[in-house]
Amino acid sequence: IGDVALPFSRTGKRVVAIEPNPKTFARLQKNVRQNNLDARIDCLQFAISDKEGLAQLVVYPDAASSELLGDESRVGYGLGVQSIQVQVKTVRLDGLLKSRGITPDQVALVWSDTQGLEAQVIESAPDLWRNGTLLWVEIWPRGLDCHGGADHFVELCKRHFRSLLRADQMKCDPEPIDNVESIVRSLKFGEHTDALLIP
């Protein structure tokens, strides 16, 4: 809805805000418009994935919990009677940026809160990480398990990044990226945390 995009845009940076949920996307556009930030924030209605195409988005009453249908139709939150599914377009992050004329050296930060699709976000833009772009991720093992597995996410982190800062310890020195594995293992069922991954 713009809770991340709006503050970043006020630093003078250009922001590309990506949201697949139709209702949430409409709220994002409204918030951007009401804050007179149309010139600084590009709102795009897609889901970022490692493949381009179509996917089913499971939408819950709490729109912030929407998630793409995962492997074998699994979802982290569980398919409840109050959820609905809508078809959304998926794009690779690298392809989307290229279509907007944005080169890897122009991207300082990617903020990914994709309900378990973080591994696919990493796979969708390897040139960004090679170029030193920082990646903020939500680490939610239950969601990761629905989209290729937490082990796959850990392996990609180790391949593309050198260190990390935990959200709850942001004043500390960066830790080795190998610690991402123990972070994932330490989270109990349903728990999540956030971290800044540093190439």
Side-chain angles (χ1 to χ4, degrees):
I1 60 172
D3 54 337
V4 173
L6 271 67
F8 279 153
S9 73
R10 292 193 173 106
T11 68
K13 303 296 182 190
R14 177 181 177 188
V15 175
V16 178
I18 304 164
E19 172 57 53
N21 183 329
K23 287 185 179 178
T24 306
F25 182 73
R27 290 178 66 195
L28 167 66
Q29 288 183 305
K30 181 179 179 181
N31 287 342
V32 169
R33 199 170 38 252
Q34 287 181 337
N35 284 277
N36 298 313
L37 292 168
D38 305 78
R40 292 191 188 169
I41 302 175
D42 296 329
C43 300
L44 305 175
Q45 191 175 358
F46 298 108
I48 299 299
S49 185
D50 57 334
K51 298 179 186 72
E52 298 203 358
L54 298 172
Q56 291 299 115
L57 182 73
V58 181
V59 179
Y60 303 97
D62 173 10
S65 301
S66 300
E67 59 184 312
L68 286 186
L69 203 59
D71 304 338
E72 301 172 2
S73 298
R74 293 171 56 217
V75 287
Y77 291 112
L79 290 170
V81 291
Q82 295 182 327
S83 66
I84 62 168
Q85 292 184 29
V86 295
Q87 192 173 66
V88 296
K89 186 172 181 180
T90 62
V91 295
R92 289 179 56 90
L93 183 55
D94 53 12
L96 179 65
L97 294 173
K98 185 176 181 181
S99 74
R100 309 289 296 178
I102 302 170
T103 58
D105 63 307
Q106 294 176 303
V107 182
L109 171 71
V110 172
W111 185 289
S112 176
D113 184 358
T114 53
Q115 312 301 62
L117 228 66
E118 280 70 21
Q120 287 74 10
V121 170
I122 294 171
E123 289 181 303
S124 76
D127 287 347
L128 289 180
W129 327 130
R130 277 193 289 273
N131 198 66
T133 300
L134 302 171
L135 175 61
W136 179 272
V137 291
E138 177 184 61
I139 302 173
W140 181 39
R142 188 171 172 186
L144 293 169
D145 285 342
C146 297
H147 298 282
D151 290 341
H152 181 57
F153 167 74
V154 167
E155 187 272 319
L156 288 170
C157 288
K158 291 179 179 181
R159 183 187 313 165
H160 293 283
F161 301 93
R162 294 182 62 192
S163 57
L164 64 88
L165 286 170
R166 300 182 197 212
D168 58 353
Q169 301 174 4
M170 291 302 276
K171 293 185 180 179
C172 297
D173 291 328
E175 304 174 43
I177 195 62
D178 287 350
N179 290 3
V180 73
E181 188 167 4
S182 62
I183 293 170
V184 170
R185 304 283 175 253
S186 71
L187 294 168
K188 295 181 177 66
F189 185 79
E191 289 183 339
H192 72 277
T193 190
D194 298 289
L196 182 69
L197 305 184
I198 305 167

